[in-house]
Short mmCIF file of all heavy atoms in Angstrom, two decimals:
data_model
loop_
_atom_site.label_atom_id
_atom_site.label_comp_id
_atom_site.label_asym_id
_atom_site.label_seq_id
_atom_site.Cartn_x
_atom_site.Cartn_y
_atom_site.Cartn_z
N VAL V 1132 93.21 45.23 65.38
CA VAL V 1132 92.39 44.04 65.12
C VAL V 1132 91.90 43.44 66.46
O VAL V 1132 90.73 43.08 66.60
CB VAL V 1132 93.19 42.99 64.31
CG1 VAL V 1132 92.48 41.64 64.31
CG2 VAL V 1132 93.38 43.48 62.88
N LEU V 1133 92.80 43.38 67.43
CA LEU V 1133 92.39 42.85 68.74
C LEU V 1133 91.36 43.78 69.40
O LEU V 1133 90.44 43.31 70.07
CB LEU V 1133 93.62 42.65 69.65
CG LEU V 1133 94.61 41.58 69.17
CD1 LEU V 1133 95.81 41.50 70.11
CD2 LEU V 1133 93.96 40.20 69.04
N ASP V 1134 91.51 45.07 69.16
CA ASP V 1134 90.52 46.01 69.70
C ASP V 1134 89.15 45.80 69.05
O ASP V 1134 88.12 45.92 69.71
CB ASP V 1134 90.98 47.46 69.50
CG ASP V 1134 92.01 47.88 70.56
OD1 ASP V 1134 92.07 47.21 71.61
OD2 ASP V 1134 92.74 48.85 70.33
N LEU V 1135 89.15 45.50 67.74
CA LEU V 1135 87.87 45.21 67.07
C LEU V 1135 87.21 43.98 67.68
O LEU V 1135 85.99 43.93 67.85
CB LEU V 1135 88.09 44.98 65.57
CG LEU V 1135 88.20 46.20 64.65
CD1 LEU V 1135 88.49 45.75 63.22
CD2 LEU V 1135 86.93 47.03 64.68
N ALA V 1136 88.03 42.97 68.01
CA ALA V 1136 87.49 41.76 68.64
C ALA V 1136 86.94 42.09 70.03
O ALA V 1136 85.87 41.62 70.43
CB ALA V 1136 88.56 40.68 68.72
N ARG V 1137 87.70 42.91 70.75
CA ARG V 1137 87.30 43.31 72.10
C ARG V 1137 85.97 44.06 72.07
O ARG V 1137 85.14 43.93 72.97
CB ARG V 1137 88.40 44.19 72.70
CG ARG V 1137 88.62 44.02 74.17
CD ARG V 1137 89.95 44.65 74.59
NE ARG V 1137 91.03 43.67 74.61
CZ ARG V 1137 92.19 43.80 73.98
NH1 ARG V 1137 92.45 44.87 73.26
NH2 ARG V 1137 93.10 42.85 74.06
N ALA V 1138 85.77 44.82 71.00
CA ALA V 1138 84.52 45.59 70.86
C ALA V 1138 83.37 44.73 70.35
O ALA V 1138 82.25 45.20 70.21
CB ALA V 1138 84.75 46.77 69.91
N GLY V 1139 83.68 43.46 70.05
CA GLY V 1139 82.62 42.56 69.57
C GLY V 1139 82.30 42.73 68.09
O GLY V 1139 81.30 42.19 67.60
N ALA V 1140 83.14 43.47 67.36
CA ALA V 1140 82.84 43.75 65.95
C ALA V 1140 83.27 42.61 65.03
O ALA V 1140 82.73 42.47 63.93
CB ALA V 1140 83.54 45.05 65.52
N ILE V 1141 84.25 41.82 65.45
CA ILE V 1141 84.71 40.70 64.63
C ILE V 1141 84.96 39.48 65.52
O ILE V 1141 85.24 39.61 66.71
CB ILE V 1141 86.01 41.02 63.84
CG1 ILE V 1141 87.17 41.35 64.79
CG2 ILE V 1141 85.79 42.18 62.87
CD1 ILE V 1141 88.52 41.45 64.11
N HIS V 1142 84.84 38.31 64.93
CA HIS V 1142 85.19 37.08 65.64
C HIS V 1142 85.67 36.07 64.61
O HIS V 1142 85.48 36.24 63.41
CB HIS V 1142 83.98 36.53 66.40
CG HIS V 1142 82.95 35.91 65.51
ND1 HIS V 1142 82.06 36.65 64.76
CD2 HIS V 1142 82.71 34.61 65.19
CE1 HIS V 1142 81.30 35.86 64.04
NE2 HIS V 1142 81.67 34.59 64.26
N VAL V 1143 86.29 35.01 65.10
CA VAL V 1143 86.76 33.93 64.23
C VAL V 1143 85.92 32.69 64.50
O VAL V 1143 85.70 32.33 65.67
CB VAL V 1143 88.25 33.61 64.49
CG1 VAL V 1143 88.76 32.57 63.50
CG2 VAL V 1143 89.10 34.87 64.43
N GLU V 1144 85.42 32.06 63.44
CA GLU V 1144 84.78 30.76 63.59
C GLU V 1144 85.90 29.73 63.77
O GLU V 1144 86.79 29.63 62.93
CB GLU V 1144 83.97 30.41 62.34
CG GLU V 1144 82.73 31.26 62.17
CD GLU V 1144 81.64 30.90 63.17
OE1 GLU V 1144 81.49 29.71 63.51
OE2 GLU V 1144 80.94 31.83 63.62
N VAL V 1145 85.87 28.99 64.87
CA VAL V 1145 87.00 28.14 65.22
C VAL V 1145 86.59 26.68 65.31
O VAL V 1145 85.55 26.35 65.87
CB VAL V 1145 87.59 28.60 66.59
CG1 VAL V 1145 88.57 27.57 67.13
CG2 VAL V 1145 88.26 29.96 66.44
N GLU V 1146 87.41 25.81 64.72
CA GLU V 1146 87.32 24.37 64.99
C GLU V 1146 88.51 24.02 65.86
O GLU V 1146 89.65 24.29 65.51
CB GLU V 1146 87.38 23.56 63.67
CG GLU V 1146 86.10 23.63 62.87
CD GLU V 1146 86.09 22.63 61.71
OE1 GLU V 1146 86.96 21.74 61.65
OE2 GLU V 1146 85.22 22.78 60.85
N ARG V 1147 88.23 23.40 67.03
CA ARG V 1147 89.27 23.20 68.03
C ARG V 1147 89.83 21.78 67.97
O ARG V 1147 89.08 20.81 67.89
CB ARG V 1147 88.63 23.47 69.39
CG ARG V 1147 89.54 23.31 70.58
CD ARG V 1147 88.80 23.81 71.83
NE ARG V 1147 89.59 23.57 73.02
CZ ARG V 1147 89.55 24.35 74.09
NH1 ARG V 1147 88.75 25.39 74.12
NH2 ARG V 1147 90.30 24.06 75.16
#
Side-chain angles (χ1 to χ4, degrees):
V1132 167
L1133 295 178
D1134 281 340
L1135 278 177
R1137 215 165 265 127
I1141 61 171
H1142 73 282
V1143 185
E1144 290 288 324
V1145 168
E1146 286 190 12
R1147 180 173 175 149

